[in-house]
Amino acid sequence: MTAPARIRGWCPSLFRPMESGDGWLARIRPERGRLPSALLRKVADAALRHGNGILEITNRGNLQVRGLRPESIAPFTTTMEEAGAAVGEGSRILISPLLGADPSLAPDLLALADEIDRALPESLSAKFGVLLDGGGALPLSGIVLDLVIRWTGADWAVNGKAVARDAIATHIRERATGLARVSERAGHPPKLGRHAGFLLLAPAFGQMRAEALLTLADLAETHGDGALRPTPWKSIALAGVAWDQAPTVLQAAEKRGFITDRNDGRLSLITCAGAPACARGEIATHDAASALAASRRAGDGLLHLSGCVKGCAHPGAAPVTLVGRAGQIDLVRHGKAADTPAFRGLSLAEIPATMQSLPA
């Protein structure tokens, strides 16, 4: 195992965990978007034995294990390797979550993903990401990475330009480091709940306990196709659930703390781990977000709550961004976490009235 790194500006992985406020964190990349229930049980057990039992869905559809200790990193990594969790480690591709479960996806999607992985230069930054959107029932609309490959329904586009299917790998091999990043409008996350062929639910603010993950693994095995599929919207898809079984599955997931109601106020908030989980966090973001969510609905304008000025959970601008600063909160209008606040030093109790006073 490579030694744990303390370098900023890179992505942690299974083999290179990163230090955070509650210990070290490691990420498990699904193999082509899919995490089998048998693997998830081993991940949940390892998170309890070697970490603090908290897991997260990242905005690249990875599963993140928190709270590892220096002495538990090596046994955790070994356990995960033996369980088969390292299979997806070498890929940079964020692929359609319903691969293998949605017949309406672009043809030959799995083979194309393999070709793209082989075509990418090894010299690319560890943060370099590829989006491979095969359309279908759960398209990756509104998600943008360094390299964006989308099925348009009749052909393929690479960073917005049409490219023949057989020429995509060569196109990438020759131009990957020089392609202009595509500019797209932000899309809306797909609605939670029951869909034809799959269910979509979300851990509150992207975070769950290992025991809750075990419940989902059981539900996927007994009612679905035996796997969970993390999405870049920090939600989880369960494929293969019969239409008449969906209410039973959603109710069981809701009892474990997952959001299944598309109108839940927590869905209008984006937040990071915050204090004490993150060493940079200056407020307890999850406690604050839960309090604020009580008076909000999913359709309200996006509210970004950041534990510090880094704004990791939402690097872009938001209508309102709340930023933790020494236990208090700064409010930024139509900007990023690092932008100049319109209000400084607010308490959590002052936030609702302050937001109501803002001009439309």
Side-chain angles (χ1 to χ4, degrees):
M1 182 193 76
T2 305
R6 299 175 184 268
I7 304 169
R8 297 194 186 278
W10 58 277
C11 290
S13 67
L14 177 59
F15 296 109
R16 295 197 71 186
M18 182 176 72
E19 191 173 20
S20 187
D22 57 349
W24 296 77
L25 59 86
R27 287 180 185 167
I28 296 170
R29 295 174 181 168
E31 183 183 11
R32 299 300 183 228
R34 188 175 184 272
L35 291 168
S37 57
L39 171 60
L40 289 168
R41 291 191 181 96
K42 294 178 180 178
V43 172
D45 179 69
L48 288 168
R49 287 193 293 118
H50 302 298
N52 60 11
I54 297 175
L55 301 105
E56 296 169 325
I57 305 296
T58 75
N59 57 14
R60 289 200 181 184
N62 296 322
L63 185 62
Q64 187 161 274
V65 179
R66 302 195 67 97
L68 298 172
R69 303 175 302 280
E71 68 274 13
S72 71
I73 291 174
F76 171 79
T77 305
T78 299
T79 299
M80 291 295 90
E81 279 192 281
E82 292 174 349
V87 177
E89 188 71 12
S91 179
R92 300 172 182 271
I93 296 175
L94 172 58
I95 199 167
S96 301
L98 295 180
L99 179 65
D102 180 4
S104 67
L105 282 168
D108 208 23
L109 191 59
L110 182 58
L112 178 57
D114 292 340
E115 292 173 22
I116 292 168
D117 268 332
R118 291 193 294 268
L120 290 170
E122 294 183 2
S123 59
L124 290 173
S125 162
K127 278 186 169 289
F128 188 94
V130 179
L131 182 83
L132 181 55
D133 181 7
L138 195 58
L140 298 173
S141 55
I143 307 296
V144 178
L145 295 180
D146 301 278
L147 185 59
V148 177
I149 305 165
R150 294 196 192 278
W151 172 248
T152 66
D155 51 21
W156 290 93
V158 178
N159 280 24
K161 295 184 179 181
V163 177
R165 162 65 180 84
D166 294 340
I168 290 176
T170 301
H171 185 84
I172 291 171
R173 191 177 294 110
E174 294 175 349
R175 301 175 176 84
T177 57
L179 284 169
R181 185 161 181 164
V182 67
S183 177
E184 297 186 1
R185 288 185 178 181
H188 296 287
K191 293 186 179 297
L192 300 183
R194 181 166 56 173
H195 298 261
F198 69 97
L199 304 180
L200 204 60
L201 48 86
F205 313 122
Q207 193 174 91
M208 70 195 117
R209 290 285 307 172
E211 296 87 350
L213 180 64
L214 285 171
T215 295
L216 285 194
D218 290 341
L219 291 171
E221 196 163 86
T222 57
H223 296 282
D225 69 352
L228 299 182
R229 303 159 187 274
T231 81
W233 305 284
K234 297 188 177 183
S235 57
I236 300 171
L238 281 75
V241 179
W243 189 261
D244 62 345
Q245 291 296 306
T248 299
V249 176
L250 292 172
Q251 185 178 39
E254 189 174 359
K255 286 181 178 178
R256 269 298 189 183
F258 291 96
I259 302 173
T260 63
D261 180 359
R262 57 191 63 185
N263 294 313
D264 193 295
R266 290 171 290 182
L267 297 175
S268 66
L269 287 119
I270 294 178
T271 189
C272 58
C278 176
R280 291 290 299 269
E282 299 189 42
I283 57 168
T285 53
H286 283 213
D287 291 345
S290 295
L292 293 170
S295 59
R296 295 178 61 83
R297 292 179 61 83
D300 291 343
L302 176 65
L303 174 60
H304 176 203
L305 178 56
S306 181
C308 72
V309 295
K310 286 182 66 180
C312 298
H314 185 70
V320 176
T321 300
L322 304 177
V323 185
R325 192 183 300 275
Q328 295 184 307
I329 300 171
D330 292 348
L331 187 152
V332 177
R333 283 282 280 156
H334 301 297
K336 304 176 183 179
D339 290 344
T340 302
F343 297 89
R344 297 179 185 270
L346 300 170
S347 69
L348 179 60
E350 292 175 304
I351 295 297
T354 303
M355 289 182 61
Q356 288 180 3
S357 71
L358 297 174

